[in-house]
Amino acid sequence: MLDALLDDLRAEHDDLRRYVATADLGLAVPAEPWDVRDTVSHLLVGDEKALLAAAAPDAFAAELPQVIADPQGFIDSWLEAGRHLSKEALLERWTAGLEALATAIGKVPEGTKIPWYGPPMSPASFATARVMEYWAHGQDVVDALGVSRPPTARLRHICHLGYRTRGFSYAVRGLPVPEGEVRVSLVAPDGSTWEWGSGPDAVEGTAEDFALRVTQRRHRRDTGLVATGPLADDWL
């Protein structure tokens, strides 16, 4: 399972790299005030920090006081990594870093949790989170370019994470998590159905629309998602 996840992470990177390779790095993306270069820099340094967490967790932990002291400044500092690099150098460093990260995650002993800026995660959850990060920021790039990218089976990772983190989406806003479950039923890119959960309250639609919504890349009204029941409606 982990090997397949890491292959999907590599594939998500490769797809986005192809779009970036022909893009104007100064093109603004929807995540204001970032541009394409900032987006790549964020992913690049995110991969390097993730590599540190996977391969040298004590060194990663040593940086946490800086993060706690100025979280926004810490994230903003990531953008500096790519500000003075040529496109070729930026792409080379980005690709090499992603491969190093994937290799390091694959070597984490089974049962070990990888530390991060939130709760520590298993290697599989850690890889899934990186797939989500790549896909979501990749959407910013293709939106900026005004192009569409074909949905793939890798959307299942984002949809699974979206379903699993329903409670977290309330908690991070300081809201109580509603009691009860929401069933998610989605049409996959190949026409099959992906389902999570059970019960009368449900979210239905395409996997792509659900992924766009849970990563906050689309407003609910700009998707074809349908909510049945108050729990599902409130979540969307």
Side-chain angles (χ1 to χ4, degrees):
M1 175 185 172
L2 181 57
D3 286 345
L5 261 172
L6 294 173
D7 284 344
D8 282 350
L9 176 58
R10 291 182 176 100
E12 204 63 46
H13 165 85
D14 291 347
D15 275 2
L16 179 53
R17 191 186 192 280
R18 282 191 284 271
Y19 288 107
V20 172
T22 60
D24 174 0
L25 296 182
L27 180 67
V29 300
E32 298 177 350
W34 288 8
D35 55 21
V36 174
R37 181 187 292 275
D38 292 334
T39 303
V40 173
S41 297
H42 176 79
L43 290 170
L44 181 159
V45 180
D47 287 344
E48 292 176 349
K49 296 300 183 185
L51 171 61
L52 188 67
D58 289 343
F60 176 83
E63 289 189 350
L64 291 180
Q66 176 189 354
V67 182
I68 294 169
D70 184 11
Q72 188 58 53
F74 185 74
I75 292 298
D76 289 344
S77 72
W78 293 16
L79 308 184
E80 293 299 321
R83 288 262 164 89
H84 306 294
L85 295 176
S86 67
K87 178 183 278 191
E88 181 179 87
L90 182 68
L91 293 177
E92 287 180 359
R93 178 174 166 182
W94 182 29
T95 299
L98 185 279
E99 183 54 40
L101 170 60
T103 300
I105 294 174
K107 292 180 178 179
V108 174
E110 186 176 350
T112 301
K113 297 281 189 177
I114 301 174
W116 197 232
Y117 302 113
M121 292 176 276
S122 69
S125 294
F126 202 76
T128 300
R130 291 311 294 166
V131 172
M132 180 277 294
E133 188 84 357
Y134 262 88
W135 187 86
H137 287 295
Q139 188 64 44
D140 295 338
V141 172
V142 296
D143 282 345
L145 293 172
V147 298
S148 298
R149 56 178 173 174
T152 73
R154 297 190 297 273
L155 283 173
R156 187 178 183 94
H157 303 309
I158 293 96
C159 295
H160 175 73
L161 194 61
Y163 167 75
R164 288 288 303 274
T165 56
R166 172 175 165 251
F168 182 72
S169 70
Y170 283 87
V172 295
R173 289 165 176 78
L175 300 172
V177 180
E179 292 186 13
E181 190 171 359
V182 174
R183 177 173 56 87
V184 175
S185 181
L186 305 172
V187 180
D190 66 359
S192 62
T193 301
W194 295 340
E195 288 194 324
W196 292 267
S198 60
D201 284 69
V203 171
E204 297 175 292
T206 67
E208 184 175 27
D209 275 352
F210 184 72
L212 288 166
R213 185 71 195 110
V214 294
T215 59
Q216 300 183 44
R217 262 53 192 181
R218 293 291 185 273
H219 191 279
R220 176 184 180 179
R221 63 173 172 262
D222 296 322
T223 72
L225 295 173
V226 175
T228 301
L231 292 177
D233 186 68
D234 187 61
W235 181 30
L236 284 188

